[in-house]
């Protein structure tokens, strides 16, 4: 297979350059992993290659392979290459999956050979990802980690020469991450090209090959993974590697106050799949608790049950009297699902300020603390990065001054530096308003730093 070359690739919003011009060679059998801060243009790189940039953005430059040239400003000239040359695993798998189709036929659509073999190939791929029981599910019946694996199966079944994997390990437990690494390595071993966009430094180390580090739409370091991930030259890369949760200093947590809620004998099943049973859980004002389990074990379902968003098959939840309905808040694992897609962010946040009687300065202070420019609020949710939208969702929730925040993988789209700053901001704000935290995460080091108590399903 031949190398895929990208020349002068850049992305503009009107006359504003969002991604500085860059030249890349994607070599068969060699990984290229892109690291960098949230909102630095990593996902724009992938969508510029595919021709799937959001409305209002345009790409310039050229893709060259097999003696052919594809100008990137023409988003339609690569459509016929989808599945055969190009495939993308998007950052938001829930929005990429068809909500009206079951998992098995949806994955089978990626097969490029004999249609009679498509279901068998799809079933084998799902089995390899531990999704045997999910082939008849609809996307809304999947956990975030399961949806990520289903999207991976659909993107890779056709054997495209270049796989663009945008945050493929997001929302996966350690066992599922190990499976993902093996599958990505198999893709490389078969002589295909791989461009992975990730905040997962462990994944970048495992894939090896080349690493490209981005900051503010600019490439600040590019070279062999073995060198950059052990002896980084640029100060930003050095700071990025030093910001992993296990390197954080210890965090002091407040003492628990009066009880907030009590769950007794909670159980939930979907069809023949029993998620959990006989779960007792108590949460008190101001305490910080981590909820840990494998992907698909029911962490999000249990949290939703405690908030009254999901009905328990058995058991009950008792709440402390005297608290308003807005006292119980959730940060969704997929922040794009938490915003109306056609409502500008400015309007969405202004409506919350009106509802809770907070001044505009309260929003400005949180934007500054989380390093988000006010200009982002003029955009639609689809026009900001996943990491930016995740922080905006956090701001919107904090403005409501809740008594309990159920945070479902609240930093899954953030680079290590931004994650560290965001978690410290979150804990500071929760301490200031006396809010309890129920944190769902697959990151044991993050759970150890951010919470004082852990519950395992």
């Amino acid at each position: 297979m031949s190398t895929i070359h990208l020349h002068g690739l850049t992305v503009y919003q009107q006359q504003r350059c969002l991604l500085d011009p860059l030249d890349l060679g994607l070599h068969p059998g060699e990984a290229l992993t892109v690291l960098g801060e949230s909102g630095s243009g990593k996902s724009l790189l992938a969508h510029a290659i595919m021709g799937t940039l959001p409305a209002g953005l345009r790409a310039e430059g050229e893709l060259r392979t097999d003696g052919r040239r594809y100008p990137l400003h023409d988003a339609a000239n690569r459509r016929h290459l989808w599945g055969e040359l190009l495939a993308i695993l998007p950052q938001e798998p829930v929005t990429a999956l068809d909500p009206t189709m079951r998992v098995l036929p949806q994955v089978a659509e990626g097969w490029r050979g004999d249609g009679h073999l498509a279901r068998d190939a799809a079933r084998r791929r799902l089995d390899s990802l531990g999704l045997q029981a999910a082939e008849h599910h609809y996307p809304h019946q999947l956990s975030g980690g399961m949806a990520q694996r289903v999207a991976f199966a659909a993107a890779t079944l056709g054997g495209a020469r270049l796989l663009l994997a945008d945050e493929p390990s997001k929302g996966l437990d350690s066992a599922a991450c190990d499976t993902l690494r093996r599958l990505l390595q198999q893709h490389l071993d078969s002589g295909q090209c791989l461009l992975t966009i990730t905040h997962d430094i462990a994944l970048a180390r495992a894939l090896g090959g080349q690493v490209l580090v981005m900051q503010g739409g600019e490439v600040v370091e590019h070279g062999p993974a073995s060198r950059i991930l052990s002896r980084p030259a640029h100060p930003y890369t050095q700071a990025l590697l030093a910001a992993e949760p296990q390197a954080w200093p210890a965090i002091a947590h407040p003492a628990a106050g009066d009880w907030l809620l009590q769950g007794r004998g909670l159980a939930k099943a979907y069809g023949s799949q029993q998620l959990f049973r006989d779960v007792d859980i108590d949460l008190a004002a101001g305490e910080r608790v981590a909820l840990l389990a494998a992907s698909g074990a029911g962490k999000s379902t249990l949290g939703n049950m405690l908030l009254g968003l999901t009905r328990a098959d058995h058991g009950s939840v008792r709440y402390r009297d005297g608290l308003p309905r807005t006292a119980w808040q959730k940060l969704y694992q997929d922040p794009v699902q938490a915003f109306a897609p056609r409502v500008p962010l400015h309007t969405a946040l202004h409506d919350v300020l009106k509802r809770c009687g907070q001044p505009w300065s309260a929003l400005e202070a949180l934007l500054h603390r989380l390093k988000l420019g006010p200009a982002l609020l003029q955009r639609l949710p689809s026009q900001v990065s996943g990491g930016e939208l995740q922080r905006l969702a956090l701001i919107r929730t904090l403005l409501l001054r809740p008594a309990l925040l159920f945070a479902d993988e609240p930093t899954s789209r953030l680079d290590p530096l931004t994650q560290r700053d965001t978690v410290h901001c979150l804990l500071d704000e929760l301490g200031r308003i006396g809010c309890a935290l129920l944190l769902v995460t697959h990151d044991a080091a993050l759970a150890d730093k951010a919470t004082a108590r852990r519950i395992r399903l």
Side-chain angles (χ1 to χ4, degrees), residues 95 332 334-349 351-352 377 379-384 389 393 396:
T95 59
Y332 285 81
D334 295 296
V336 70
Q337 292 184 296
F339 287 87
R342 293 179 177 83
V343 176
L345 292 164
H346 179 280
T347 302
L349 289 165
D351 288 347
V352 172
L377 301 186
R379 303 182 192 177
L380 295 172
S382 63
Q383 295 173 325
V384 302
L389 196 61
R396 184 176 62 176

Side-chain angles (χ1 to χ4, degrees), residues 69-91:
R69 301 185 176 196
Y70 300 91
L72 298 178
H73 67 82
D74 180 2
N77 69 10
R78 301 179 297 289
R79 294 285 175 89
H80 70 285
L81 304 177
W82 290 1
E84 181 177 355
L85 176 68
L86 304 173
I88 188 169
L89 173 60
Q91 183 177 135

Side-chain angles (χ1 to χ4, degrees), residues 146-457:
M146 293 168 72
Q148 184 81 345
R149 283 179 281 164
V150 169
F152 178 84
T156 58
L157 194 67
R161 281 174 48 197
L162 171 59
L163 174 63
L164 302 163
D166 195 352
E167 296 290 356
S169 61
K170 167 179 53 65
L172 302 185
D173 58 74
S174 58
C177 280
D178 290 341
T179 300
L180 171 72
R181 291 184 191 110
R182 288 195 298 272
L183 289 168
L184 291 176
Q185 192 59 55
Q186 289 173 14
H187 181 83
L188 291 168
D189 292 343
S190 64
Q192 294 165 308
C193 302
L194 174 66
L195 189 154
T196 305
I197 295 163
T198 186
H199 296 309
D200 187 344
I201 293 172
L203 177 61
R205 288 193 179 101
L207 292 174
Q210 298 284 309
V211 164
L212 183 150
V213 182
M214 296 182 65
Q215 183 184 26
E218 177 187 357
V219 175
V220 297
E221 197 159 1
H222 184 192
S226 57
R227 177 184 63 78
I228 288 181
L229 299 180
S230 60
R231 302 182 306 280
H234 195 276
Y236 174 74
T237 312
Q238 295 168 1
L240 194 68
L241 297 178
E244 294 180 277
Q246 55 266 33
W248 298 358
I251 297 173
H253 300 294
D258 293 337
W259 73 278
L260 279 177
L261 63 78
Q262 298 172 337
R264 294 292 180 265
L266 299 174
K268 188 65 179 180
Y270 289 109
S272 61
Q273 183 184 8
Q274 184 74 45
L275 292 182
F276 51 82
R277 60 164 62 89
D278 298 326
V279 172
D280 295 335
I281 183 170
D282 295 85
L283 294 173
E287 77 167 332
R288 298 165 180 177
V289 180
L291 184 57
L292 306 172
S295 178
K299 302 183 297 299
S300 299
T301 299
L302 177 58
N304 289 340
M305 197 176 290
L306 295 176
L307 296 185
L309 300 174
T310 296
R311 187 183 299 275
D313 294 341
H314 302 285
S316 62
V317 181
R318 179 184 171 214
Y319 302 93
R320 195 174 86 191
D321 292 333
L323 293 172
R325 293 181 61 186
T326 54
W328 315 98
Q329 290 294 322
K330 176 179 178 179
L331 278 175
Y332 285 81
Q333 183 172 4
D334 295 296
V336 70
Q337 292 184 296
F339 287 87
R342 293 179 177 83
V343 176
L345 292 164
H346 179 280
T347 302
L349 289 165
H350 184 260
D351 288 347
V352 172
L353 290 172
K354 287 174 57 180
R355 170 66 185 267
C356 62
Q358 294 257 38
W360 188 259
S361 59
L363 170 60
E364 290 178 326
L366 287 170
L367 287 171
H368 178 74
R369 178 80 190 268
L370 292 175
K371 300 177 182 177
L372 294 170
L376 286 178
L377 301 186
Q378 305 308 316
R379 303 182 192 177
L380 295 172
S382 63
Q383 295 173 325
V384 302
S385 74
E388 289 165 338
L389 196 61
Q390 195 161 47
R391 283 174 283 166
L392 289 167
L394 171 59
I395 288 172
R396 184 176 62 176
T397 302
L398 290 175
L399 290 171
L400 292 167
R401 300 175 64 86
L404 171 65
L405 175 59
F406 170 46
D408 195 352
E409 297 282 0
T411 60
S412 59
R413 282 125 178 101
L414 305 181
D415 63 88
L417 269 172
T418 307
Q419 175 181 251
R420 183 193 63 193
D421 295 343
T422 299
V423 168
H424 281 81
C425 174
L426 169 63
L427 296 180
D428 288 348
E429 290 296 315
L430 294 185
R432 186 175 63 83
I433 63 179
C435 178
L437 172 67
L438 180 61
L439 173 68
V440 167
T441 181
H442 290 302
D443 189 333
L446 176 60
D448 287 342
K449 298 294 185 180
T451 63
R453 179 161 69 97
R454 280 159 286 288
I455 298 172
R456 286 195 175 271
L457 279 184

Side-chain angles (χ1 to χ4, degrees), residues 16-82:
R16 180 187 172 207
C17 182
L18 302 181
L19 180 63
D20 285 354
L22 65 125
D23 297 332
L24 291 175
L26 299 162
H27 305 288
E30 182 182 56
L32 173 62
T33 305
V34 182
L35 301 172
E37 63 183 347
S38 302
S40 63
K42 302 184 301 298
S43 294
L44 295 181
L45 169 62
H47 286 288
I49 295 170
M50 287 293 294
T52 53
L53 284 170
L57 303 184
R58 75 178 192 279
E60 298 291 344
E62 193 172 65
L63 183 151
R64 301 177 188 172
T65 188
D66 299 327
R68 297 186 177 181
R69 301 185 176 196
Y70 300 91
L72 298 178
H73 67 82
D74 180 2
N77 69 10
R78 301 179 297 289
R79 294 285 175 89
H80 70 285
L81 304 177
W82 290 1

